[in-house]
Amino acid sequence: MAAAGAHRPGPLKQQNKAHKGGKHSGSSQRRAGGRVPVKAQPRRRLRDLSRVDRRHQALQLRRQRKEAVLTEKRSLGSRDGPPHLVVVVLLHSRAAAQDSLRLLQSHDSAVVRADEGGAGGFALLCPRLKQRWRFVTAPAGDLHAVLDLAKVADSLLFILDPVDGWDSAGEHCLSCLFAQGLPSYALAVPGGTDLPPKKRIDARKKLSKSIEKRFPEAKLFPLNTEQESSLLLRHLSSQKQRHLAFRDRRAHLLARAAEFVPSQDSDLVGTLKVSGFVRGQTLNVNSLVHIVGHGDFQLSQVDAPPDPLSLNPRVVKGQKRSQDMEVQDDSGNGAVEMEEDIKVLMKADPSKQESLQSEVVPDPMEGEQTWPTEEELQEAEESLKANRRVVKVPKGTSKYQAAWIVDDGEEGSEKDDDDDEDDDMDDDLMEEAVSQEGESSEEEAGEEESETMTVSECLRDDQYDEKMEEDEQMLERYKQERMDEMFPDEVDTPRDVPARVRFQKYRGLKSFRTSPWDPKENLPRDYARIFQFQDFFRTRKNLFRQIEKEETEGASVGWYVTLHVCNVPVSVMESFKEGKPLVLFSLLPHEQKMSVLNFLVRRHPGNSEPVRAKEELIFHCGFRRFRASPLFSQHTSADKHKLERFLRPDAALVVTVYAPITFPPASVLLFKQRSNGMHDLIATGSLLSVDPDRIVIKRLVLSGHPFKIFTKTAVVRYMFFNREDVMWFKPVELRTKWGRRGHIKEPLGTHGHMKCHFDGQLKSQDTVLLNLYKRAFPKWTYDPHVPEPVPWVRSESALPEREVEME
């Protein structure tokens, strides 16, 4: 009873203080021996702020960010900052561009100045508002010019049609601009006054509904009167600026004037003097510059001519400046005035100047050793003992002669195997045959007498039949893509070549996920030409931190400068005279060097044509344009990534190419060139990493069929066709499409039948598979020169008539 009624302590039991033996002040001081502990209190105090202090700190941070945004907005277009660069983009063939620009020029108390070159832009100076703008019209149909101007524009002004909004070419242009990165924009609709009031209201409602999907929260500005143009200018100057990361961390410049000075040795190469306003970051004369579409170059010096778009121009004696609106041309007297007042800001220092070296010159003796160590000699002797073989030789054969005798099992072991090029062989032969037929038909037509007349496109049946060859090639690609979806990575075992020779570069893996694969093993020769970072993301982090915190010496943002670019081909100046924009970007350290770039892309929904791996594509990566033949691989978190033979429409893939180093973030656009010269947008995405050690594994699957099925064994045929191949691939694990696992026990006969053991009984309709793996590398087909695209066809009913020759 006493035990049953014993007292049990409850949750509110009294807790007495523990004994503080040895922790009193006297004993602790004696143990310390006079040493004072390190105080971590100040850092803790900063971390453990009171509620009022935390509120005060958050308020200060908010004020700092607000002040930074306001300072940036006030500097843009002001006296101290660069002019507000507005790029006018036409989204419809019926959009009235000239009337819109004329209305913008009619602003009160504004001075209009025309640009040099053939671009046809103009500057708008408003001293009363203390604002200045520069308007540049993107050439209609020139996709490269639109994308280049959008890279450096502060705002985009989209000109829409009052009825249809935008056409097919405008939709293609918008898709590319959204994928590249869209700065601040505004929508303007000129015209529409000739419509009846009822139709005008209906067209406005229909246009607003279509704009909501493409431009959410965008305001539509009519542009028919001077008052509406003033409202549009006020909106452009006060709207929030969108930042593009790849241009905010680099100095960039849109040329307003350019001059070419040929060198003494050749007229084809010389010094290009480019004048414009510095944007983004401070421009250093020792850094490299990239002229978009033309390549990387060095600077020799930077000059500071007088600002041609100054809000407070100085009065020259003998000249009277009118305050009213006027249009001036700077190509005459302005050039003479600039030559008189040019100041040299800085000259390049050869010891600090970045090098143009883009590739490593491989040394064939770099891998050789001067003298092996004792451990290496011992390992070599052990490997020789292990690799000794017994060979039957004729009498009198020396050891040197016996070493050259090859066994039957070693035939073809040194044979080169590039199955990727074999897969593309048929396509190349077909393309050559088509080109030869086209050349021969042109020569025969040129020899005979001909008469020139204009015929509609729909009546040309002879040219319609010529496109059948392209349709047959496209049909073959659709078949290959379909077969790859139905039977992924499966190939037929060749009957004329032993499988152990055909697939000698492949290996078997116990597990694709966990089996090791050395990233430095069996690298191609092209890897000796590239650069690699020890830790790419750490280098990028340190570089961006240096840009934000440290001040760089050079031309500050908003200065009007003249850059002396060395060794520039004359074609750059010719394209500028033709009206194409000239855009320069300064390069960060290492961005001129070649490496392996990985892009994460997704298939564009507007394109469904099959795109094979190692097919030449056109890349728009950040501020660069180039052509390359990429690899496609799965985007996973593992250390190995399976190669994809086609660009999948339903998943994000990683595209791997050899290209110059670029620090992310940077957008990427993938185009495919048609036979007629047009560029189709096939994929969009961003730069993932610069990593040559990313392992892309190509998988081959050999298939066989069960011939005789027992409880846990089966006789499999049609996977191999000789006994030696069965013995060669015996260590590789087998699997079936229905989930069984097994291995090869022994060959049966001499025609490739084999006895296999599985973890369960097979079904008669099951298929036995054997997986082989090989690391894949991209092809070195990098080409920085991209051909100009043919203007996009705006509608099927508006095809241009062509001149053809009739016999």
Side-chain angles (χ1 to χ4, degrees), residues 22-33:
K23 293 186 178 180
H24 49 84
S25 60
S27 62
S28 62
Q29 288 177 2
R30 283 194 298 270
R31 283 198 305 270

Side-chain angles (χ1 to χ4, degrees), residues 109 279 467 487 704 746 784:
S109 68
R279 302 172 184 271
K467 298 180 181 178
F487 308 99
E746 58 182 352

Side-chain angles (χ1 to χ4, degrees), residues 714-734:
V715 178
V716 180
R717 60 180 178 178
Y718 301 148
M719 183 177 289
F720 304 109
F721 299 101
N722 57 70
R723 186 182 184 91
E724 290 77 12
D725 287 344
V726 178
M727 295 299 296
W728 181 269
F729 292 99
K730 187 177 179 180
V732 185
E733 186 182 12
L734 300 176

Side-chain angles (χ1 to χ4, degrees), residues 454-639:
T454 302
V455 181
S456 177
E457 182 74 19
C458 59
L459 300 178
R460 301 188 56 195
D461 294 336
D462 54 344
Q463 287 196 356
Y464 185 83
D465 291 336
E466 291 177 1
K467 298 180 181 178
M468 295 305 295
E469 295 288 344
E470 299 179 5
D471 293 343
E472 291 178 2
Q473 294 179 15
M474 188 61 64
L475 177 61
E476 184 64 28
R477 292 188 179 183
Y478 275 117
K479 286 182 180 179
Q480 293 176 1
E481 186 182 28
R482 180 64 176 163
M483 291 295 292
D484 189 60
E485 291 179 2
M486 296 174 61
F487 308 99
D489 302 326
E490 290 191 31
V491 297
D492 296 331
T493 306
R495 305 198 60 175
D496 54 344
V497 181
R500 63 186 184 278
V501 177
R502 174 66 179 85
F503 307 118
Q504 61 183 341
K505 290 187 177 181
Y506 290 81
R507 68 179 71 174
L509 294 179
K510 180 71 175 177
S511 171
F512 183 81
R513 184 178 61 87
T514 60
S515 296
W517 196 301
D518 188 5
K520 304 297 185 183
E521 178 186 1
N522 294 332
L523 297 178
R525 291 183 178 272
D526 290 336
Y527 264 53
R529 302 165 58 185
I530 65 174
F531 291 84
Q532 184 175 3
F533 294 94
Q534 188 174 5
D535 190 339
F536 173 72
F537 290 101
R538 185 195 301 168
T539 305
R540 170 178 169 268
K541 182 179 179 181
N542 295 337
L543 188 61
F544 287 175
R545 185 183 300 166
Q546 181 181 358
I547 293 174
E548 292 176 0
K549 294 184 177 180
E550 297 184 6
E551 294 184 0
T552 308
E553 295 182 357
S556 300
V557 178
W559 290 8
Y560 185 77
V561 297
T562 299
L563 307 181
H564 294 245
V565 190
C566 304
N567 299 324
V568 179
V570 70
S571 58
V572 180
M573 188 64 190
E574 292 175 354
S575 65
F576 179 71
K577 289 181 178 179
E578 292 174 359
K580 296 176 183 177
L582 186 59
V583 179
L584 283 80
F585 274 85
S586 68
L587 298 182
L588 300 178
H590 314 297
E591 282 195 331
Q592 79 279 13
K593 301 173 183 176
M594 296 290 292
S595 188
V596 178
L597 272 63
N598 302 304
F599 305 98
L600 181 61
V601 302
R602 187 176 288 273
R603 188 72 181 263
H604 190 260
N607 187 277
S608 59
E609 294 184 2
V611 181
R612 291 187 56 179
K614 295 189 177 181
E615 188 175 351
E616 187 180 76
L617 300 177
I618 298 172
F619 288 75
H620 288 239
C621 174
F623 53 87
R624 290 188 184 272
R625 281 199 304 266
F626 57 88
R627 291 187 292 178
S629 301
L631 289 182
F632 303 141
S633 59
Q634 294 179 353
H635 179 50
T636 59
S637 59
D639 60 341

Side-chain angles (χ1 to χ4, degrees), residues 88 96-108 110 112 120-122 124 135 137 157 159 190 223-230 232-233 325 327:
V88 181
Q98 297 298 327
D99 297 340
S100 305
L101 298 179
R102 205 172 292 115
L103 281 172
L104 293 172
Q105 294 177 10
S106 61
H107 197 272
D108 293 338
V112 181
F122 65 93
L124 192 66
F135 289 86
T137 305
L157 179 59
I159 305 297
L223 193 58
N224 297 314
T225 61
E226 295 182 6
Q227 184 179 3
E228 292 172 347
S229 67
S230 300
L232 179 59
L233 283 176
M325 183 190 68
V327 179

Side-chain angles (χ1 to χ4, degrees), residues 62-83:
R62 268 200 310 272
R63 284 177 178 172
Q64 289 177 3
R65 295 194 190 102
K66 188 175 181 180
E67 286 295 329
V69 172
L70 290 176
T71 302
E72 181 186 3
K73 185 181 291 187
R74 289 166 186 159
S75 64
L76 182 63
S78 64
R79 182 184 61 183
D80 299 328

Side-chain angles (χ1 to χ4, degrees), residues 628-742:
S629 301
L631 289 182
F632 303 141
S633 59
Q634 294 179 353
H635 179 50
T636 59
S637 59
D639 60 341
K640 295 182 290 295
H641 313 273
K642 193 179 84 68
L643 176 77
E644 292 289 346
R645 287 177 168 79
F646 289 88
L647 186 62
R648 301 292 182 188
D650 53 350
L653 296 180
V654 176
V655 175
T656 304
V657 293
Y658 291 109
I661 294 170
T662 304
F663 290 99
S667 60
V668 62
L669 286 74
L670 269 65
F671 292 88
K672 183 179 178 182
Q673 186 170 356
R674 294 186 192 174
S675 58
N676 59 359
M678 295 176 61
H679 291 182
D680 288 336
L681 180 63
I682 63 171
T684 60
S686 60
L687 178 59
L688 180 65
S689 64
V690 180
D691 185 14
D693 288 342
R694 190 177 191 275
I695 302 176
V696 179
I697 302 296
K698 181 177 182 180
R699 184 181 71 174
L700 282 187
V701 180
L702 304 181
S703 59
H705 302 277
F707 178 49
K708 295 179 181 179
I709 301 175
F710 302 99
T711 305
K712 284 195 174 182
T713 60
V715 178
V716 180
R717 60 180 178 178
Y718 301 148
M719 183 177 289
F720 304 109
F721 299 101
N722 57 70
R723 186 182 184 91
E724 290 77 12
D725 287 344
V726 178
M727 295 299 296
W728 181 269
F729 292 99
K730 187 177 179 180
V732 185
E733 186 182 12
L734 300 176
R735 67 178 180 91
T736 69
K737 288 189 176 182
W738 286 28
R740 294 297 180 189
R741 297 280 176 173

